[in-house]
Amino acid sequence: MKIYVFYTPKITEVFEQLRESTREIPSVEIVPVFYDNKEGPSHLDVGDTHKKEYMDLMLKRWGMHVENVKDNLGQNIVILDADCVFNPCYQDFADTINEELKENDFCFQFDPNTGMSARVNMGFTAVKCSPKTLSFFEKWFSFIEEKEGRAAGFPQLEWNDALIASPHIKFKNLPLSYGHQGGDCRFYHAIGVGGITGKMRALKEAAETF
């Protein structure tokens, strides 16, 4: 299963840690989605979701992911944040996601943030690539491109709201073992951990528990 991961020069170390964590899971393939923004603002850090520059970067990112969906029509893929590590003790990741996507258009990491109307975290987005899901992506992306008055959480807030407003789209939030630490953790996602140093520390600590 192809797992598409967007990253920039600033988080290369984080990306490499993710890729290394999957080397013992032959059923998954990390596909780099690299964007060279080295001429961008040097003060921008991971987690700066309230800053305009971060929101602009997210537009660039999700525009590239729309193309990833288009390139994989008829296949299942995952779009994943770079600040994750996989648990190699579980080899059933791809089989489980493919099984879930038989009945759903999307599967997501559950987000405990009640500000997300569908309780969806886009940092893990499993996609059944089809004309239906591509159309949904394209309409959402056109909307966020033109949106003014963006708030912190953009464009995840808009994605959640679009899911709620689209009853023809079937989606599922996965169990906490997908993204959150616990005894049966499939992968860990360093949500809410600030800075590159903090994320690297959290990812290494999680990997040591696997």
Side-chain angles (χ1 to χ4, degrees):
M1 171 173 280
K2 292 181 178 179
I3 301 178
Y4 288 84
V5 182
F6 177 88
Y7 74 106
T8 63
K10 190 165 188 175
I11 63 168
T12 297
E13 185 180 11
V14 176
F15 169 79
E16 291 298 343
Q17 175 138 322
L18 164 62
R19 181 153 60 179
E20 180 63 29
S21 75
T22 65
R23 293 198 187 280
E24 297 179 26
I25 309 176
S27 60
V28 304
E29 174 191 357
I30 299 295
V31 182
V33 182
F34 179 69
Y35 177 60
D36 190 350
N37 70 333
K38 61 185 177 183
E39 296 182 358
S42 60
H43 63 276
L44 192 63
D45 203 353
V46 292
D48 284 344
T49 59
H50 61 289
K51 294 183 178 179
K52 178 184 182 301
E53 296 92 341
Y54 188 93
M55 297 178 192
D56 290 342
L57 185 61
M58 289 302 98
L59 281 176
K60 174 62 68 173
R61 172 188 177 175
W62 286 100
M64 296 171 78
H65 287 324
V66 170
E67 293 303 313
N68 298 150
V69 174
K70 186 181 299 184
D71 291 342
N72 285 279
L73 291 176
Q75 305 295 321
N76 296 334
I77 66 170
V78 170
I79 298 168
L80 186 68
D81 281 359
D83 58 338
C84 297
V85 284
F86 276 77
N87 186 345
C89 296
Y90 292 95
Q91 297 286 315
D92 61 349
F93 175 84
D95 289 343
T96 300
I97 299 303
N98 282 325
E99 188 66 27
E100 295 288 358
L101 289 174
K102 287 180 179 179
E103 302 297 329
N104 295 284
D105 299 305
F106 296 100
C107 292
F108 301 104
Q109 178 181 346
F110 171 78
D111 198 323
N113 181 357
T114 57
M116 300 296 172
S117 57
R119 306 303 290 274
V120 158
N121 188 297
M122 294 181 77
F124 176 92
T125 298
V127 189
K128 180 192 295 181
C129 300
S130 67
K132 179 182 177 182
T133 54
L134 176 60
S135 175
F136 182 79
F137 257 113
E138 289 177 332
K139 289 177 181 177
W140 166 77
F141 188 72
S142 294
F143 170 73
I144 64 171
E145 272 191 307
E146 301 299 326
K147 182 169 183 178
E148 298 180 357
R150 302 169 189 166
F154 173 92
Q156 293 215 56
L157 294 169
E158 290 77 10
W159 179 263
N160 274 258
D161 291 347
L163 287 169
I164 294 297
S166 305
H168 65 292
I169 295 293
K170 293 189 65 178
F171 71 93
K172 178 177 180 177
N173 287 334
L174 295 171
L176 293 179
S177 53
Y178 290 81
H180 301 273
Q181 285 183 295
D184 59 348
C185 177
R186 266 55 175 181
F187 72 90
Y188 166 67
H189 184 188
I191 299 174
V193 180
I196 299 295
T197 301
K199 284 190 180 291
M200 286 299 296
R201 182 185 304 113
L203 294 168
K204 287 178 180 178
E205 289 176 353
E208 289 172 355
T209 68
F210 295 157

